[in-house]
Amino acid sequence: AAPRPAHGCGSGALLGRFGVLLQALLALCAFSTLMLKRFKEPKAERRPWRIWFYDTSKQAIGALFIHFANVFLSDLTEEDPCSLYLINFILDATLGMLLIWLGVKVVSWIVQHKKYTYLVFGEYGDPPQAAAWIGQCILYLLIMVFEKTVISLVLLIPGWTKLQQILLGYIPNPQLELVLVMFVVPFIVNAIMFWVVDSLIMRKYKQKDTLDINGSIETPRARRTEESQVLLSPDMDFDQSESDQDVSGPRGTSQKMKQPSYQVVI
């Protein structure tokens, strides 16, 4: 067995029996926040279970990739792997979150520009297609690979070793350090990250389009806006139309009487 340092968890502790148990408990508690988020959505906008599964499973795949990448990178060192894992995790939750947001925006712009409808995050067709979900999972996983690559390059900057030595050096119990690193801190941060990322990649609620009397597509919001502009407009002057009638005055002069034009609002 590898010697355990005076402070911090020993090599291989992240993949030990206690570490794996903490990781399974973390996954259960963290993804329960996505379940809570679904029930917090308004009933009119709440996603069906199949759509919710398609949305959240992309995060699950990305989170598992990041987690096992952090575990692998942390076990490469002979020093305290718990502190190195915590540094990776903190960078993922700060700089990594910014990179994920940027990646989602760039990928969304590209697929919309190329008109790849089924690759737009949150759009799966009607009825939902598994092929669209697979394509979006691949795109999201590529964003995670990009994010982890940048974070790994950032860790090559000198100076992280000193932070690693003092980050958890005040905790003498290795198991307590493992609980903080693998459960307490990741649960709090992952709950926030899952909530934010789910809002980024889910389909935004859209009201169904309706057809007006002319056959053109009109959304309810646009229709309400048009109604308010007509009914609340301060300028109620009548426009002159071709149906103006000439009315002769007493002196023989011709005057035009404007016929009011009416607009039917449905």
Side-chain angles (χ1 to χ4, degrees):
R4 176 174 294 177
H7 295 283
C9 57
S11 178
L14 299 180
L15 295 177
R17 181 178 301 177
F18 186 61
V20 172
L21 178 63
L22 289 176
Q23 294 173 50
L25 185 61
L26 170 65
L28 178 63
C29 294
F31 284 105
S32 65
T33 60
L34 294 174
M35 183 82 67
L36 176 63
K37 183 179 183 296
R38 181 185 181 274
F39 287 109
K40 294 291 290 184
E41 296 172 356
K43 289 185 178 180
E45 306 175 15
R46 187 171 298 169
R47 291 166 288 177
W49 282 110
R50 187 175 182 180
I51 301 299
W52 176 85
F53 171 77
Y54 281 170
D55 287 341
T56 56
S57 58
K58 292 196 292 285
Q59 282 207 75
I61 295 173
L64 287 175
F65 169 77
I66 294 296
H67 172 75
F68 286 113
N70 289 341
V71 171
F72 174 76
L73 293 174
S74 300
D75 272 338
L76 290 180
T77 178
E78 297 179 356
E79 301 177 359
D80 181 10
C82 288
S83 59
L84 184 57
Y85 179 88
L86 186 58
I87 291 175
N88 274 277
F89 188 80
I90 292 175
L91 287 175
D92 288 329
T94 52
L95 177 60
M97 190 67 198
L98 178 61
L99 294 173
I100 293 173
W101 175 83
L102 181 62
V104 169
K105 292 297 181 181
V106 172
V107 170
S108 299
W109 180 84
I110 292 175
V111 297
Q112 289 179 3
H113 181 70
K114 297 293 185 179
K115 297 181 180 181
Y116 298 145
T117 307
Y118 285 148
L119 293 181
V120 177
F121 287 123
E123 300 286 350
Y124 306 103
D126 187 17
Q129 302 293 325
W133 169 72
I134 294 174
Q136 294 177 31
C137 285
I138 294 174
L139 286 181
Y140 189 73
L141 186 59
L142 291 177
I143 294 174
M144 295 296 103
V145 172
F146 164 74
E147 183 267 344
K148 195 66 236 178
T149 303
V150 175
I151 296 299
S152 300
L153 294 177
V154 171
L155 284 174
L156 296 179
I157 300 175
W160 294 107
T161 305
K162 293 181 180 180
L163 178 61
Q164 181 181 347
Q165 293 174 354
I166 65 176
L167 193 60
L168 296 173
Y170 58 90
I171 301 178
N173 191 335
Q175 288 191 341
L176 178 59
E177 180 177 338
L178 193 60
V179 171
L180 289 175
V181 170
M182 298 297 295
F183 181 75
V184 177
V185 177
F187 170 69
I188 297 174
V189 178
N190 274 330
I192 299 174
M193 289 182 61
F194 287 163
W195 199 291
V196 173
V197 175
D198 185 60
S199 300
L200 284 175
I201 63 177
M202 68 178 288
R203 179 188 179 187
K204 301 299 183 293
Y205 176 72
K206 299 177 182 178
Q207 293 178 329
K208 292 183 178 179
D209 296 342
T210 57
L211 293 176
D212 61 5
I213 58 177
N214 295 324
S216 60
I217 298 178
E218 183 182 15
T219 61
R221 179 176 296 179
R223 186 170 62 254
R224 290 195 300 268
T225 303
E226 183 179 354
E227 292 175 0
S228 62
Q229 290 176 352
V230 172
L231 298 177
L232 301 179
S233 176
D235 186 8
M236 299 299 294
D237 293 336
F238 296 107
D239 296 333
Q240 184 175 1
S241 62
E242 295 179 355
S243 61
D244 292 345
Q245 298 179 356
D246 293 341
V247 179
S248 299
R251 297 181 181 179
T253 59
S254 61
Q255 298 176 350
K256 288 187 178 181
M257 179 178 293
K258 296 180 179 180
Q259 295 294 330
S261 60
Y262 296 92
Q263 183 174 2
V264 178
V265 180
I266 301 176

